[in-house]
Amino acid sequence: MTTKVARRRMPKRTGAETRQLMLRAAVDMLRERVQESGDEIVASALAHVRLTQVAQRATALVRAETGDVHTTAITTGAIYQLWPSQADFQADLLFHIADLQSQLVPGLLESIRRFAEAAAQGVPLEEVFARTMDEVLRHYRQDPLFRVEHSFLISAGDPRVRVAITHRQSAFAATADQAWTGLMDAYGLRMRAPYRVRDLTNAMAAQIGGASVISIADPQLLADPAGEQGWSLTARALLAIFQAFTEPA
């Protein structure tokens, strides 16, 4: 007599859970492909992300995390309930990447806390600035998603790309405004008229973005002219902008 082994019924995955798994898997695949395939495919990186492949990766992710190889696979039917077409998925992925890239490095609250602690300990503003900018610039040099995101800027003629970039810049600026305000508060500074905090955020973002692109090809182009450890030409330019836009409160 054959005994049937009862299979444990897994809880049904919600649409929101499926969406997050798919987007996470797609981001993982983009990071890998940009690093492995080089610059020639960056501009069309999203074209290489297929829903069926992402579904396989997302299923593997959830099975690895739960330790259950019988976890329900993500099906084509579940995918097309969320995204009617490949283009719809790519547009959603653009927004997801924009959200990921809108965060400062390090995180906002951690940055502000460190600014206040450093000021209380008497650490010079220049030292805090150099340390923070080095961390931010290193992140952008090493993050494959920055290169994918930069390709979006090049192809910003597409309406959906423009919407995603606008969303990213809006989210990033709101976060950056708070970080720069935290740094000014910690060191008793304020914006110098006629500049606003958003002007400072935009000027800094433009400098950081351009410097990060240049450093991909040749990091030595932005080496510190004074040869001082912890500094770079970019960090000194950013400090000059910060000092020009601020004054003692």
Side-chain angles (χ1 to χ4, degrees):
M1 182 175 177
T2 303
T3 303
K4 290 186 178 181
V5 178
R7 176 176 292 184
R8 179 163 54 95
R9 183 180 294 275
M10 299 300 296
K12 188 174 181 179
R13 188 181 297 114
T14 67
E17 290 171 336
T18 299
R19 176 179 177 272
Q20 285 302 312
L21 273 171
M22 288 285 290
L23 293 175
R24 178 182 162 197
V27 168
D28 285 350
M29 291 170 66
L30 277 174
R31 286 195 173 107
E32 292 171 4
R33 292 184 179 189
V34 171
Q35 289 175 314
E36 293 173 2
S37 302
D39 293 340
E40 65 275 9
I41 71 144
V42 173
S44 58
L46 293 188
H48 294 263
V49 178
R50 294 297 171 192
L51 281 168
T52 51
Q53 295 174 319
V54 178
Q56 292 172 359
R57 173 64 70 90
T59 299
L61 280 173
V62 72
R63 286 177 175 174
E65 290 181 350
T66 62
D68 188 347
V69 296
H70 299 297
T71 297
T72 305
I74 295 178
T75 64
T76 303
I79 292 172
Y80 285 107
Q81 286 180 6
L82 294 169
W83 303 286
S85 70
Q86 176 81 16
D88 291 317
F89 172 70
Q90 290 175 342
D92 198 9
L93 180 57
L94 278 175
F95 273 88
H96 181 65
I97 292 173
D99 282 332
L100 292 177
Q101 295 299 84
S102 70
Q103 300 303 308
L104 284 179
V105 181
L108 172 63
L109 294 179
E110 177 63 16
S111 293
I112 294 175
R113 183 186 65 79
R114 294 198 316 192
F115 295 155
E117 288 180 356
Q121 295 168 4
V123 179
L125 170 64
E126 292 76 10
E127 183 178 331
V128 173
F129 196 94
R131 185 190 312 154
T132 302
M133 289 303 98
D134 178 65
E135 188 173 352
V136 170
L137 292 165
R138 184 169 62 251
H139 166 76
Y140 280 117
R141 284 196 303 270
Q142 296 173 351
D143 183 11
L145 278 187
F146 172 76
R147 299 172 70 181
V148 175
E149 186 186 29
H150 185 67
S151 74
F152 300 161
L153 298 173
I154 296 173
S155 59
D158 185 289
R160 287 174 299 187
V161 174
R162 284 202 305 271
V163 171
I165 291 173
T166 299
H167 170 69
R168 187 269 193 201
Q169 290 175 334
S170 177
F172 172 83
T175 303
D177 285 352
Q178 295 179 61
W180 293 124
T181 298
L183 181 60
M184 287 188 289
D185 289 345
Y187 283 89
L189 300 170
R190 67 184 180 191
M191 293 304 302
R192 186 192 305 273
Y195 303 118
R196 305 164 301 153
V197 175
R198 183 57 55 87
D199 296 324
L200 177 62
T201 290
N202 290 339
M204 293 296 204
Q207 181 71 23
I208 291 171
S212 298
V213 171
I214 290 174
S215 65
I216 290 174
D218 185 359
Q220 291 306 308
L221 289 174
L222 299 175
D224 181 33
E228 190 173 344
Q229 187 173 1
W231 281 93
S232 65
L233 182 60
T234 304
R236 292 196 185 278
L238 290 167
L239 178 60
I241 294 172
F242 182 80
Q243 291 173 331
F245 279 45
T246 62
E247 63 184 7

